[in-house]
Amino acid sequence: MKLRTIKYFLWTILNIKSLKNWKNRNFSTPSPDVIKHQVLIKNNLNNSLWIETGTYYGNTTKVLSKISKKTVSIEAQKDLYDSSKKILSNFGNVEIILGRSEDLLEKVILENLDFENICIYLDAHLCQDHLKNTKTFGNEIDATPILREMELIKKFLKSFKKVNILIDDIRLFNGSFQNYPSKDFLVDWCKENDFLWEIEHDIFICKKK
Ligand SMILES: C[S@@+](CC[C@H](N)C(=O)[O-])C[C@H]1O[C@@H](n2cnc3c(N)ncnc32)[C@H](O)[C@@H]1O
């Protein structure tokens, strides 16, 4: 058997539960994390810095660390920050930072201007902690920092050769759920800043032209 076939077989076995669950939901959004991870991998840039907002338990951070030169992840909730810092302690190219992404994103970018390419995964928002069955950091009226994050990112677009921004949970961007803006906000942002955009598996992808 070819190595690729073995890898594919192992991948399917490891993810069988979430894939079955997805099939039972008629492959509707949100796609399982393992599928979303493929979208992130596909949109990686060479020798890039990855910034993730919203670390949660660090599952995606692990994937990003494998494809990036360096990954910085920002988490606002102290206990999630503590657990992910522990879980990722052996990942040499990962930095986990405690705080709100809207307060820290600018500092993180400024400290890493020596990178040629940057990829940003924006996933900080109020959500359900599936292990503790409680709500994570945030509240209903201020659930996502996306407007401030996109405003901050604008300032640094010229500092990098290539920029890919991936925004998760695009299904929630309908202008009437919590403080999520409409999808038009992201489309206009892309037009104004000369970015191409597309949507894959509930992730809005912006690419600098
Ligand atoms: C959907 S989870 C992130 C999932 C993670 N990116 C992954 O792929 O496994 C959202 C996380 O964002 C955190 N969060 C919420 N508001 C935040 C903010 N303003 N800044 C940073 N993190 C925030 C929450 O505590 C939660 O852990």
Side-chain angles (χ1 to χ4, degrees):
M1 221 189 292
K2 276 190 184 159
L3 187 65
R4 256 185 82 176
T5 319
I6 298 172
K7 275 188 177 170
Y8 172 74
F9 189 67
L10 282 175
W11 182 88
T12 312
I13 299 280
L14 281 172
N15 298 299
I16 197 84
K17 203 172 155 201
S18 53
L19 295 173
K20 262 189 179 168
N21 196 324
W22 191 34
K23 184 175 183 297
N24 291 339
R25 292 192 285 114
N26 287 325
F27 300 107
S28 59
T29 54
S31 307
D33 285 352
V34 64
I35 300 292
K36 290 196 177 197
H37 290 163
Q38 296 305 313
V39 177
L40 300 181
I41 292 167
K42 207 171 94 182
N43 288 286
N44 183 36
L45 294 168
N46 275 346
N47 291 321
S48 71
L49 164 76
W50 269 92
I51 300 176
E52 174 189 38
T53 66
T55 316
Y56 195 48
Y57 286 100
N59 286 346
T60 301
T61 324
K62 276 184 201 161
V63 173
L64 299 180
S65 85
K66 287 186 190 138
I67 58 172
S68 69
K69 217 166 171 187
K70 176 178 175 184
T71 296
V72 181
S73 187
I74 306 170
E75 173 56 53
Q77 188 163 308
K78 178 77 168 75
D79 58 340
L80 288 172
Y81 160 81
D82 288 338
S83 338
S84 54
K85 218 171 150 62
K86 218 182 224 175
I87 294 166
L88 295 156
S89 59
N90 290 331
F91 290 69
N93 65 342
V94 170
E95 200 181 320
I96 313 286
I97 303 182
L98 175 65
R100 302 190 316 167
S101 57
E102 61 271 44
D103 300 333
L104 298 176
L105 195 52
E106 180 163 9
K107 185 173 173 277
V108 171
I109 297 176
L110 279 171
E111 283 171 358
N112 289 285
L113 290 177
D114 49 329
F115 278 86
E116 194 173 51
N117 300 325
I118 184 169
C119 300
I120 306 178
Y121 179 46
L122 298 176
D123 195 22
H125 58 91
L126 169 71
C127 67
Q128 189 70 15
D129 184 324
H130 73 286
L131 292 182
K132 298 189 191 107
N133 209 16
T134 53
K135 295 271 183 205
T136 63
F137 184 89
N139 52 62
E140 295 284 323
I141 52 157
D142 220 5
T144 169
I146 191 74
L147 291 173
R148 291 182 59 195
E149 289 173 331
M150 294 304 275
E151 199 57 40
L152 281 173
I153 292 169
K154 255 195 219 175
K155 293 200 223 168
F156 302 101
L157 297 177
K158 289 205 171 79
S159 310
F160 300 94
K161 194 169 166 196
K162 290 186 180 173
V163 182
N164 284 355
I165 305 165
L166 289 93
I167 302 152
D168 204 1
D169 305 300
I170 193 63
R171 71 187 183 287
L172 306 179
F173 287 65
N174 58 20
S176 60
F177 177 66
Q178 296 175 341
N179 66 329
Y180 283 81
S182 70
K183 291 175 188 62
D184 289 341
F185 164 79
L186 296 176
V187 172
D188 291 344
W189 189 99
C190 286
K191 280 185 196 159
E192 280 160 25
N193 295 290
D194 223 13
F195 271 60
L196 298 169
W197 66 269
E198 60 191 309
I199 294 175
E200 263 190 79
H201 291 287
D202 204 26
I203 301 177
F204 189 93
I205 303 160
C206 322
K207 289 183 179 183
K208 189 172 163 182
K209 279 187 196 165

